[in-house]
Amino acid sequence: MSQTLPEETFSLITKDFQLPEIKEDFSEEKALAVLTKAISQLMDRNLERLLQVCYRIDLAENKLKQILHESEPDSVAADLAKALWERQKQKVEIRRRYSEG
């Protein structure tokens, strides 16, 4: 059974954040909510690890700095989650494109 793009993105990002599995009614919104919560906890407890994950996922450094410096304090975790999500989704799309040929 092949995964949808959001499901595959979630399983890719789960490796870096040890996210809990979403057992029912999976959606991109739920995945982003879970990811945002995990990022928020890392921001409070282990910022260095969060930054390492951002670099490992290959989030553009200027994008990371922009979010950390320009986002509203209450939305930093959500903005970072969206940026990381989009980066991982991009990787999944690229892999799919090149594995079809």
Short mmCIF file of all heavy atoms in Angstrom, two decimals, residues 1 4-5 8 11 15-16 18 24-25 31 37 39 41-42 53-54 58-61 71 91 93 96 99-100:
data_model
loop_
_atom_site.label_atom_id
_atom_site.label_comp_id
_atom_site.label_asym_id
_atom_site.label_seq_id
_atom_site.Cartn_x
_atom_site.Cartn_y
_atom_site.Cartn_z
N MET A 1 0.85 -1.19 0.00
CA MET A 1 0.00 0.00 0.00
C MET A 1 0.89 1.24 0.00
O MET A 1 1.73 1.41 0.87
CB MET A 1 -0.88 -0.03 1.26
CG MET A 1 -1.84 1.13 1.34
SD MET A 1 -2.85 1.04 2.81
CE MET A 1 -2.01 2.21 3.84
N THR A 4 0.17 8.37 0.88
CA THR A 4 -0.09 9.65 0.23
C THR A 4 1.11 10.54 0.48
O THR A 4 1.94 10.26 1.36
CB THR A 4 -1.35 10.33 0.81
OG1 THR A 4 -1.10 10.64 2.18
CG2 THR A 4 -2.59 9.44 0.66
N LEU A 5 1.19 11.63 -0.26
CA LEU A 5 2.31 12.57 -0.08
C LEU A 5 2.40 13.07 1.37
O LEU A 5 3.48 13.01 1.96
CB LEU A 5 2.18 13.72 -1.08
CG LEU A 5 3.27 14.78 -1.03
CD1 LEU A 5 4.64 14.18 -1.32
CD2 LEU A 5 2.97 15.89 -2.03
N GLU A 8 3.68 10.17 3.64
CA GLU A 8 5.10 9.89 3.41
C GLU A 8 5.96 11.01 4.01
O GLU A 8 7.01 10.75 4.60
CB GLU A 8 5.36 9.74 1.91
CG GLU A 8 6.66 9.04 1.62
CD GLU A 8 6.82 8.68 0.15
OE1 GLU A 8 5.82 8.52 -0.57
OE2 GLU A 8 7.98 8.57 -0.28
N SER A 11 6.05 10.46 7.77
CA SER A 11 6.94 9.39 8.21
C SER A 11 8.41 9.79 8.06
O SER A 11 9.25 9.42 8.87
CB SER A 11 6.64 8.06 7.51
OG SER A 11 6.73 8.19 6.13
N LYS A 15 11.18 10.60 11.74
CA LYS A 15 12.50 10.06 12.06
C LYS A 15 13.35 11.07 12.84
O LYS A 15 14.09 10.69 13.73
CB LYS A 15 13.24 9.65 10.78
CG LYS A 15 12.61 8.50 10.07
CD LYS A 15 13.28 8.26 8.73
CE LYS A 15 12.54 7.22 7.93
NZ LYS A 15 12.87 7.25 6.52
N ASP A 16 13.22 12.34 12.50
CA ASP A 16 14.02 13.36 13.16
C ASP A 16 13.43 13.83 14.49
O ASP A 16 14.14 14.25 15.38
CB ASP A 16 14.20 14.57 12.23
CG ASP A 16 15.08 14.22 11.05
OD1 ASP A 16 16.23 13.83 11.28
OD2 ASP A 16 14.61 14.33 9.90
N GLN A 18 10.93 12.01 16.38
CA GLN A 18 10.29 10.96 17.16
C GLN A 18 8.85 11.33 17.51
O GLN A 18 8.44 11.38 18.66
CB GLN A 18 11.07 10.68 18.47
CG GLN A 18 12.38 9.96 18.28
CD GLN A 18 13.56 10.92 18.17
OE1 GLN A 18 13.63 11.91 18.88
NE2 GLN A 18 14.48 10.64 17.29
N GLU A 24 -5.65 7.70 13.56
CA GLU A 24 -6.89 7.77 12.78
C GLU A 24 -7.07 9.15 12.16
O GLU A 24 -6.57 10.14 12.67
CB GLU A 24 -8.09 7.42 13.66
CG GLU A 24 -8.17 8.24 14.92
CD GLU A 24 -9.13 7.64 15.93
OE1 GLU A 24 -9.07 6.43 16.17
OE2 GLU A 24 -9.94 8.41 16.47
N ASP A 25 -7.78 9.15 11.06
CA ASP A 25 -8.09 10.40 10.35
C ASP A 25 -6.84 11.25 10.11
O ASP A 25 -6.80 12.42 10.45
CB ASP A 25 -9.13 11.23 11.11
CG ASP A 25 -10.46 10.50 11.24
OD1 ASP A 25 -10.76 9.69 10.34
OD2 ASP A 25 -11.17 10.73 12.22
N ALA A 31 -0.85 16.46 11.28
CA ALA A 31 0.59 16.22 11.27
C ALA A 31 1.34 17.50 11.65
O ALA A 31 2.27 17.47 12.45
CB ALA A 31 1.03 15.73 9.89
N LYS A 37 3.92 21.05 18.06
CA LYS A 37 4.06 20.78 19.50
C LYS A 37 5.47 20.26 19.81
O LYS A 37 6.09 20.70 20.78
CB LYS A 37 2.99 19.75 19.92
CG LYS A 37 2.97 19.49 21.40
CD LYS A 37 1.85 18.53 21.75
CE LYS A 37 1.90 18.20 23.23
NZ LYS A 37 0.94 17.16 23.60
N ILE A 39 8.22 20.78 18.10
CA ILE A 39 9.18 21.87 17.90
C ILE A 39 9.13 22.84 19.08
O ILE A 39 10.16 23.28 19.58
CB ILE A 39 8.90 22.60 16.56
CG1 ILE A 39 9.34 21.70 15.41
CG2 ILE A 39 9.63 23.94 16.50
CD1 ILE A 39 8.95 22.21 14.04
N GLN A 41 8.33 22.16 22.15
CA GLN A 41 9.01 21.52 23.29
C GLN A 41 10.52 21.58 23.13
O GLN A 41 11.24 21.85 24.08
CB GLN A 41 8.54 20.07 23.44
CG GLN A 41 7.10 19.97 23.93
CD GLN A 41 6.57 18.55 23.92
OE1 GLN A 41 7.15 17.65 23.31
NE2 GLN A 41 5.45 18.33 24.59
N LEU A 42 11.01 21.34 21.92
CA LEU A 42 12.46 21.40 21.68
C LEU A 42 12.98 22.83 21.86
O LEU A 42 14.09 23.02 22.36
CB LEU A 42 12.81 20.90 20.28
CG LEU A 42 13.02 19.40 20.14
CD1 LEU A 42 13.25 19.03 18.69
CD2 LEU A 42 14.18 18.91 20.99
N VAL A 53 18.57 19.37 13.87
CA VAL A 53 17.56 18.72 13.02
C VAL A 53 17.26 19.60 11.80
O VAL A 53 17.16 19.09 10.68
CB VAL A 53 16.27 18.42 13.82
CG1 VAL A 53 15.13 18.00 12.89
CG2 VAL A 53 16.51 17.35 14.87
N CYS A 54 17.15 20.90 12.01
CA CYS A 54 16.89 21.81 10.89
C CYS A 54 17.99 21.70 9.84
O CYS A 54 17.72 21.67 8.63
CB CYS A 54 16.78 23.25 11.38
SG CYS A 54 15.28 23.58 12.32
N ASP A 58 17.97 19.99 6.08
CA ASP A 58 18.44 20.88 5.02
C ASP A 58 17.48 22.04 4.79
O ASP A 58 17.21 22.41 3.65
CB ASP A 58 18.69 20.09 3.72
CG ASP A 58 19.50 20.90 2.71
OD1 ASP A 58 20.30 21.75 3.15
OD2 ASP A 58 19.32 20.69 1.50
N LEU A 59 16.96 22.58 5.88
CA LEU A 59 16.17 23.80 5.79
C LEU A 59 17.14 24.93 5.49
O LEU A 59 18.19 25.04 6.13
CB LEU A 59 15.45 24.06 7.12
CG LEU A 59 14.55 25.28 7.17
CD1 LEU A 59 13.39 25.12 6.18
CD2 LEU A 59 14.01 25.50 8.57
N ALA A 60 16.81 25.75 4.51
CA ALA A 60 17.70 26.84 4.12
C ALA A 60 18.03 27.71 5.34
O ALA A 60 17.14 28.08 6.11
CB ALA A 60 17.06 27.68 3.04
N GLU A 61 19.30 28.01 5.52
CA GLU A 61 19.73 28.77 6.69
C GLU A 61 19.05 30.14 6.77
O GLU A 61 18.65 30.58 7.84
CB GLU A 61 21.26 28.93 6.67
CG GLU A 61 21.81 29.46 7.96
CD GLU A 61 23.32 29.48 7.99
OE1 GLU A 61 23.97 28.78 7.19
OE2 GLU A 61 23.86 30.22 8.82
N SER A 71 9.42 36.03 12.97
CA SER A 71 8.09 35.52 13.31
C SER A 71 7.66 36.05 14.67
O SER A 71 8.50 36.33 15.53
CB SER A 71 8.09 33.99 13.36
OG SER A 71 8.21 33.46 12.07
N LYS A 91 11.33 16.94 -0.70
CA LYS A 91 12.21 15.77 -0.86
C LYS A 91 11.42 14.55 -1.32
O LYS A 91 11.88 13.80 -2.19
CB LYS A 91 12.90 15.44 0.46
CG LYS A 91 13.99 16.41 0.86
CD LYS A 91 14.63 15.90 2.14
CE LYS A 91 15.56 16.88 2.76
NZ LYS A 91 16.07 16.39 4.03
N GLU A 93 8.60 14.53 -3.00
CA GLU A 93 8.20 14.74 -4.40
C GLU A 93 9.36 14.47 -5.36
O GLU A 93 9.18 13.85 -6.41
CB GLU A 93 7.69 16.17 -4.59
CG GLU A 93 6.34 16.41 -3.94
CD GLU A 93 5.94 17.88 -3.91
OE1 GLU A 93 6.82 18.76 -3.96
OE2 GLU A 93 4.73 18.13 -3.82
N ARG A 96 9.99 10.74 -5.56
CA ARG A 96 8.96 10.10 -6.37
C ARG A 96 9.19 10.34 -7.85
O ARG A 96 9.04 9.44 -8.67
CB ARG A 96 7.56 10.61 -5.98
CG ARG A 96 7.07 10.07 -4.67
CD ARG A 96 5.71 10.62 -4.35
NE ARG A 96 5.16 9.93 -3.18
CZ ARG A 96 3.91 10.05 -2.79
NH1 ARG A 96 3.08 10.82 -3.47
NH2 ARG A 96 3.48 9.40 -1.73
N SER A 99 12.12 8.19 -9.01
CA SER A 99 12.00 6.74 -8.88
C SER A 99 10.99 6.19 -9.88
O SER A 99 10.94 4.99 -10.11
CB SER A 99 11.59 6.36 -7.45
OG SER A 99 10.27 6.77 -7.19
N GLU A 100 10.19 7.06 -10.49
CA GLU A 100 9.22 6.60 -11.49
C GLU A 100 9.90 6.25 -12.81
O GLU A 100 9.41 5.44 -13.57
CB GLU A 100 8.16 7.67 -11.74
CG GLU A 100 7.20 7.82 -10.58
CD GLU A 100 6.30 9.04 -10.72
OE1 GLU A 100 6.39 9.73 -11.75
OE2 GLU A 100 5.53 9.29 -9.79
#
